[in-house]
Amino acid sequence: MDMLATVDPANIHYIMSSNYSNFPKGPRFLRIFDFLGDGIFNSDADSWRNQRKLARLLITHQRFHQFLVKTSQDKVEKGLVPLLDHVSKLGLVVDLQDLFQRLTFDTTCMLVTGYDPGCLSVELPDVPFSKAMDAAEEAVFSRHVVPGETQLAQLSLGFSGLFQRTRLLRPRSEKNSKQPYRKKQLTNGRYSVSKRMNFIWGDDCSEFKPERWISEGGTIKHEPSYKFLAFNAGPRTCLGKEVAFTQMKAVGRL
């Protein structure tokens, strides 16, 4: 299997945006993720465009946004806050990454199915479906990306700078597979399998610095999506990006 890995922003922009039509998901991606069927994550061309159009109509609908905000606030107030109060009173140590994974899982289930699995509660119960999803993801990458580094990371906490920095250090979607229709020469010869590159982010690229995304004037600093690929880039930019930020803001109000 011939593979080329690159993290150079110029290459990513070329593949994901400026020459997007030559780099579809392709049949190899479909074989790897065959358990997802022919849905929006696997499809290309007209099938993908039609599905994305329908999904965008739902996610941008005012009633969906209102439900998202209410669901996120309720889950924080009735799930996260009581849990944090409980562990604080008992002097317990908890894994915040696990807590925010549970929050995200519950909220997503409620948005998609209307059912709250109660993953985020004082008891910190085992939720078989959540574990099955993680196991399936790990198995897929173990089978099809060898050798390779698999990092299963979850949505984390904080304000915009903290959230963005967490997405850089621990991105959920750190790999993106494309299969070109025609051979193309990429614009830059720098390739790697690591996202924390000093030629992109500076010598402090491995340091946890939320202020990286805050300007001197106190506003959010924009970084182009092809440089910061946590939510994909170009026409296939993740439709759930604003959903994730809404959940983050609900937590940030604490």
Side-chain angles (χ1 to χ4, degrees), residues 108-248:
T108 301
C109 286
M110 293 169 68
L111 291 174
V112 174
T113 68
Y115 171 71
D116 182 359
C119 191
L120 182 70
S121 65
V122 172
E123 294 79 16
L124 295 178
D126 286 336
V127 178
F129 180 57
S130 176
K131 286 191 172 183
M133 291 181 65
D134 285 342
E137 182 181 11
E138 185 173 7
V140 165
F141 282 108
S142 295
R143 283 203 312 264
H144 296 282
V145 187
V146 180
E149 178 187 10
T150 302
Q151 295 177 329
L152 300 181
Q154 314 300 334
L155 183 64
S156 195
L157 77 163
F159 301 99
S160 294
L162 181 60
F163 181 69
Q164 293 279 44
R165 183 58 191 162
T166 303
R167 298 305 292 167
L168 174 65
L169 290 176
R170 300 287 292 175
R172 180 71 179 182
S173 301
E174 62 179 282
K175 299 177 179 69
N176 200 310
S177 174
K178 297 289 184 179
Q179 185 171 341
Y181 283 126
R182 296 173 298 279
K183 291 182 179 180
K184 292 287 183 178
Q185 168 123 19
L186 296 180
T187 57
N188 196 298
R190 291 182 288 199
Y191 309 111
S192 176
V193 294
S194 173
K195 288 189 74 78
R196 303 167 200 172
M197 305 298 295
N198 57 7
F199 78 86
I200 299 176
W201 301 103
D203 292 335
D204 59 353
C205 60
S206 294
E207 296 180 26
F208 188 79
K209 298 180 66 174
E211 63 271 21
R212 195 184 302 274
W213 273 267
I214 308 297
S215 70
E216 293 182 0
T219 59
I220 300 300
K221 187 186 300 182
H222 171 73
E223 293 288 357
S225 56
Y226 52 84
K227 180 180 177 183
F228 178 54
L229 205 60
F231 292 103
N232 218 328
R236 293 193 85 127
T237 296
C238 179
L239 287 172
K241 178 178 179 180
E242 294 307 316
V243 174
F245 272 85
T246 297
Q247 293 175 340
M248 175 273 295

Side-chain angles (χ1 to χ4, degrees), residues 39-73:
I40 190 171
F41 296 108
N42 280 356
S43 59
D44 284 312
D46 289 341
S47 175
W48 169 77
R49 279 188 285 270
N50 291 336
Q51 293 185 69
R52 185 176 176 90
K53 181 179 180 180
L54 291 174
R56 180 183 290 277
L57 287 174
L58 169 65
I59 290 178
T60 58
H61 196 283
Q62 183 180 11
R63 290 178 63 186
F64 177 85
H65 181 72
Q66 291 171 345
F67 182 56
L68 167 64
V69 172
K70 184 179 186 304
T71 299
S72 299
Q73 290 177 342

